[in-house]
Amino acid sequence: MAKEVSIQSLSWSRGSSRTAILGTLLAVPLTASGVVDELRERYSPASPEDS
C-alpha cells in the first residue's frame, strides 16, 4: 500500500509541475498581447469616425 501511495504522489507532482509550466508558457504571451492591444487602443490617434 505504501508503494502505491508514493507512486501516486509522484504522479501528481509530475502532473502539477507540467501544468504549471504549460500555464506559464501560455500566460506570458496572452498577457503581452493584451497589454499591446490596450496600449494601441489608448495611444492610437483618433480616427475621424470616432469624433
Side-chain angles (χ1 to χ4, degrees):
M1 183 73 174
K3 287 184 180 182
E4 290 176 15
V5 172
S6 67
I7 290 172
Q8 187 176 11
S9 298
L10 183 61
S11 172
W12 276 96
S13 64
R14 282 184 184 171
S16 297
S17 62
R18 287 180 186 163
T19 304
I21 291 168
L22 180 61
T24 302
L25 292 174
L26 290 175
V28 170
L30 290 175
T31 303
S33 69
V35 169
V36 169
D37 289 342
E38 183 67 27
L39 291 173
R40 282 184 184 159
E41 184 178 309
R42 189 173 293 191
Y43 295 109
S44 66
S47 63
E49 299 163 355
D50 290 341
S51 40

